Amino acid sequence: MPGTDPVCTVPSAEAPVPAGCGGTVSHALAWVARLHRIAMGRRLRDLGLYPGQELMMMRLWDCGAVRQSELIQSLGLDPSTVTKMLQRMEQCGYVRRSPDPADRRAVLVEATEAGAALRAGVEGAWADLEESTLAGLAPADRAELARLLGLVGGNLAEEAGEEGAGPVC
Amino acid sequence: MPGTDPVCTVPSAEAPVPAGCGGTVSHALAWVARLHRIAMGRRLRDLGLYPGQELMMMRLWDCGAVRQSELIQSLGLDPSTVTKMLQRMEQCGYVRRSPDPADRRAVLVEATEAGAALRAGVEGAWADLEESTLAGLAPADRAELARLLGLVGGNLAEEAGEEGAGPVC
DNA sequence: CAAGAATATGTGGTCGGCCAACTAATCGGG
DNA sequence: CCCGATTAGTTGGCCGACCACATATTCTTG
């Protein structure tokens, strides 16, 4: 049938910022977060890490040898997620795992030399992404964004039962 | 030169928002987005959907029968992601796929009756989550958050090569 | 009109992430 | 002192998401 594309292609003179797509903050948040994750993934891939692993390494750099259960709680992840991630990271040589002598159930985790070698790269990537993310925003806008994200996070954390990711170490 | 000094990398003992974790907007953004995704996942599970599928259904509700490639572009996803997601959703009965008579490579996708039956629930979930997310924020704050997210999204989209998720249908 | 480029989709593999179910070790009472 | 409850970790399964690669079909262009 001719006239191929029927509806849909509304001649919407789209806004300068397609922003939320649907217009809701939820849409915008999901969209921005995805772009942010992709952008971080790009930087991490050059370092030999996968998204999510950098948070693990950060905890290890800050805390030294830690019990796996501490990582689970501080990152707010599922135990199985942490187990599998650590297995892969151990095989990559970034992490060392050893049984806790004080509790034969537990496992102590610490960064290896190779893991520590990633620190500068990861911190640089975070800083670079932060700047790229906030480019063009005045300090006041940045502070406002941080404040609003904090409020929204508080709302969602309350609903979700107060999950981890709290204070640093 | 890098006269840009006022970056928050200061070892400020500030705690305006305990939420942000590391204190950077990037951390706060990732954290909030994860909570948001989990909260949406909860609501979707009660409806019989997995996170991400609701966006697919929304496009189908808005556009009727669409080529798979249109979905790929409008959602900004990888083709293989869409293929597999649609295979599962078809098996769940939410979606119907048929070869495009006009282009034997393409596949036309549309929501089934069962899929359309989810619409009210999904839209309710979005509205509910939006309100829960923004609880306690004045209209001015909500608008400001939307504006800032739009700016940040623009920055990230620019870096990422202008990916999809743009205008609505 | 016959290559070659571009498009549309599918496969296989890997990762992060969650849930459910399981084992092993420690802790708490009775 | 022993048995149940709690905690720590692991395995298997599933889904979203990506990449690399393979296939079929259309478009382009010489």
Side-chain angles (χ1 to χ4, degrees):
Chain A
M1 191 57 191
T4 52
D5 46 309
V7 238
C8 277
T9 48
V10 185
S12 57
E14 261 316 322
V17 177
C21 181
T24 69
V25 169
S26 290
H27 273 103
L29 179 60
W31 173 59
V32 168
R34 202 169 78 83
L35 293 177
H36 187 268
R37 187 176 185 78
I38 290 173
M40 191 58 190
R42 242 175 251 257
R43 289 163 169 80
L44 288 174
R45 196 158 62 240
D46 298 338
L47 297 171
L49 287 176
Y50 289 90
Q53 297 185 343
E54 86 279 14
L55 299 173
M56 181 80 73
M57 293 307 299
M58 284 171 166
R59 296 289 168 175
L60 295 177
W61 292 327
D62 283 349
C63 305
V66 201
R67 266 198 294 274
Q68 200 165 309
S69 59
E70 297 256 356
L71 293 171
I72 290 167
Q73 187 166 13
S74 71
L75 295 176
L77 294 174
D78 190 87
S80 64
T81 299
V82 171
T83 292
K84 290 167 188 169
M85 195 188 298
L86 285 175
Q87 286 172 347
R88 292 174 191 129
M89 293 171 76
E90 184 178 29
Q91 197 159 6
C92 289
Y94 298 143
V95 144
R96 185 175 15 252
R97 299 164 67 208
S98 51
D100 184 343
D103 186 337
R104 279 164 35 195
R105 297 171 296 181
V107 171
L108 290 177
V109 186
E110 62 182 337
T112 63
E113 298 291 322
L118 297 172
R119 184 165 191 171
V122 168
E123 286 174 350
W126 267 107
D128 181 55
L129 178 58
E130 179 81 357
E131 196 42 50
S132 174
T133 299
L134 298 178
L137 274 76
D141 278 346
R142 300 182 180 202
E144 184 71 356
L145 179 54
R147 184 181 72 86
L148 294 170
L149 284 177
L151 289 176
V152 166
N155 285 340
L156 293 172
E158 186 180 346
E159 168 179 322
E162 210 63 39
E163 281 306 321
V168 192
C169 193
Chain B
M1 284 305 297
T4 56
D5 36 335
V7 192
C8 9
T9 52
V10 193
S12 52
E14 49 127 2
V17 178
C21 183
T24 69
V25 170
S26 290
H27 272 103
L29 179 61
W31 173 60
V32 168
R34 204 170 76 85
L35 293 177
H36 187 268
R37 188 176 185 77
I38 290 172
M40 191 58 190
R42 242 176 251 259
R43 289 163 168 78
L44 288 174
R45 195 169 332 122
D46 298 338
L47 296 171
L49 287 176
Y50 289 91
Q53 297 185 345
E54 87 278 15
L55 298 173
M56 181 78 74
M57 292 308 298
M58 283 172 166
R59 298 287 170 177
L60 295 177
W61 291 327
D62 283 349
C63 304
V66 201
R67 268 199 297 264
Q68 199 166 307
S69 60
E70 296 255 358
L71 294 171
I72 290 167
Q73 186 166 12
S74 71
L75 296 176
L77 294 174
D78 191 87
S80 63
T81 300
V82 171
T83 293
K84 291 166 188 169
M85 195 190 297
L86 285 175
Q87 287 173 347
R88 293 174 191 127
M89 293 172 74
E90 184 178 30
Q91 196 158 7
C92 289
Y94 298 144
V95 143
R96 184 175 15 252
R97 298 164 68 209
S98 51
D100 184 344
D103 186 339
R104 277 163 38 196
R105 301 171 293 183
V107 171
L108 290 178
V109 186
E110 61 181 338
T112 62
E113 299 291 321
L118 297 172
R119 183 164 192 172
V122 168
E123 286 173 350
W126 268 106
D128 181 55
L129 177 58
E130 178 81 358
E131 196 41 52
S132 174
T133 298
L134 297 178
L137 275 77
D141 278 346
R142 301 182 180 202
E144 185 71 356
L145 179 55
R147 184 182 71 86
L148 293 170
L149 285 176
L151 288 176
V152 166
N155 285 340
L156 293 172
E158 185 180 345
E159 168 180 321
E162 209 63 39
E163 281 306 322
V168 193
C169 192

